[in-house]
Amino acid sequence: MAANHKCMSKIGYQWKSHLKDGVWSYHDHPFWTQPHEFCDMAADAPDLYANLQGADLVLFKGDLNYRKLVGDRDWDHTVGFGTALQGFEPAPLCSLRTLKANVQVGLQPGQAEKLTSHEPDWMTCGKYAVIQFYSSKAEQKD
Ligand SMILES: O=P(O)(O)OC[C@@]1(O)O[C@H](CO)[C@@H](O)[C@@H]1O
């Protein structure tokens, strides 16, 4: 989709007015660009963690944020997303990610092996994406 597509342009105007009207607000924090995994946030950036605790849902976008969510560890693919978060749960959270790095949790037994047999570079080829949700209050499998 071209950047000047009229739908994209309309969204741009809407988002701009949401910011102008105070519907949305923008907050930066140095923690986001530091190399910490997110399970360190409560200790390293308690003000940010407390801020997120006030949210109904926290959305994370992108491969790098996913890697920080799960600590970029060599998890077994069947380890639950909640386990891999290692205590990071300021609020219910959802991650949207296109796979670009060798880490992925929350798969069914045999799913990674099946993918590997068909497409050995499935974690880095950029063709696969996942949406994963975690809430300690919701019923989880792990
Ligand atoms: O999916 P996208 O939005 O193109 O990239 C997401 C991203 O986190 O993945 C890369 C790390 O693997 C980063 O350079 C980039 O910001």
Side-chain angles (χ1 to χ4, degrees), residues 41-110:
M41 186 190 288
D44 293 344
D47 56 328
L48 178 60
Y49 195 82
N51 195 353
L52 296 184
Q53 283 179 308
D56 293 323
L57 177 67
V58 184
L59 295 172
F60 290 89
K61 172 263 162 199
D63 186 71
L64 183 58
N65 280 328
Y66 186 84
R67 293 169 62 186
K68 289 180 171 185
L69 281 167
V70 301
D72 222 0
R73 287 177 168 69
D74 189 19
W75 296 106
D76 190 282
H77 296 300
T78 57
V79 163
F81 186 43
T83 300
L85 291 171
Q86 302 167 93
F88 178 69
E89 44 175 307
L93 61 89
C94 182
S95 163
L96 301 97
R97 174 216 188 190
T98 301
L99 280 68
K100 293 184 194 146
N102 288 319
V103 57
Q104 183 58 54
V105 299
L107 301 185
Q108 297 297 313

Side-chain angles (χ1 to χ4, degrees), residues 112-129:
E113 291 75 9
K114 197 172 168 189
L115 280 162
T116 302
S117 69
H118 292 301
E119 201 154 8
D121 66 344
W122 64 274
M123 281 191 284
T124 53
C125 68
K127 277 171 54 181
Y128 295 88

Side-chain angles (χ1 to χ4, degrees), residues 1-18 24:
M1 185 185 295
N4 63 357
H5 189 283
K6 67 179 176 194
C7 292
M8 294 302 287
S9 178
K10 193 176 167 193
I11 288 170
Y13 279 113
Q14 275 177 351
W15 289 12
K16 214 170 175 178
S17 70
H18 287 339
W24 289 358

